[in-house]
Amino acid sequence: MQISARGDYAVRAALSLATAYPRLLSTQAIAAEQDMPRKFLEAVLADLRRAGVVRAQRGAEGGYTLARPPREVTVGAVLRAVEGPLAGVRGLRPEETSYEGAAENLPGLWVAVRAAVRRVVDEVSLAEIVSGRLPAHVRRLTALPDAWEPR
């Protein structure tokens, strides 16, 4: 799984909003805190608003806030809002792939990859990241001997 700059910025912005919840934060405040380009952040926040992840309030006292409490917003919801489906194969969803010959069983692997990604991003809330209390199954993954090693 590749996380784009857009996905990374979206999660980081959502974490800033989770920390401030239910207060409003301006785009400028989030951009400064997270060291992000403000214009790019505005586009990311617009995607999050369209997806119902954040609410926007206009005016001098305006800004953004999460649409739901941080414990109810998963990383997966944030990523899907800006990236679309979590796993794709040549623009198809894993279950839509079909192969012949030696690769005929490959769709099962692609579906398993998506399920593994979901098991992390759909089961970790913004509140858990902010608090540093990740679910046990996620902590176990980060504790594997080679988890932090590049391949």
Side-chain angles (χ1 to χ4, degrees), residues 76-87:
V78 173
L79 289 173
R80 283 184 189 90
V82 297
E83 303 272 19
L86 294 175

Side-chain angles (χ1 to χ4, degrees), residues 132-147:
R133 291 188 215 119
L134 295 174
H137 73 280
V138 175
R139 283 194 322 269
R140 282 191 297 274
L141 289 171
T142 65
L144 292 172
D146 64 345

Side-chain angles (χ1 to χ4, degrees), residues 97-115:
T97 61
S98 176
Y99 305 98
E100 295 184 18
E104 71 180 318
N105 296 310
L106 194 52
L109 178 70
W110 299 150
V111 168
V113 167
R114 179 181 60 191

Side-chain angles (χ1 to χ4, degrees), residues 22-76:
R23 290 181 299 111
L24 296 169
L25 285 182
S26 69
T27 306
Q28 184 175 352
I30 298 167
E33 177 189 334
Q34 293 296 325
D35 192 27
M36 296 178 189
R38 198 173 122 258
K39 283 293 188 192
F40 190 57
L41 176 60
E42 287 172 356
V44 168
L45 288 168
D47 286 344
L48 292 173
R49 185 185 50 75
R50 279 189 291 278
V53 175
V54 303
R55 280 188 308 106
Q57 181 175 312
R58 294 179 189 243
E61 300 297 316
Y64 290 87
T65 187
L66 293 175
R68 297 183 316 277
R71 72 181 177 282
E72 295 178 15
V73 181
T74 65
V75 173

Side-chain angles (χ1 to χ4, degrees), residues 18 21 66 68-74 122-128:
Y21 185 83
L66 293 175
R68 297 183 316 277
R71 72 181 177 282
E72 295 178 15
V73 181
T74 65
D122 287 343
E123 295 181 22
V124 176
S125 73
L126 298 177
E128 289 168 318

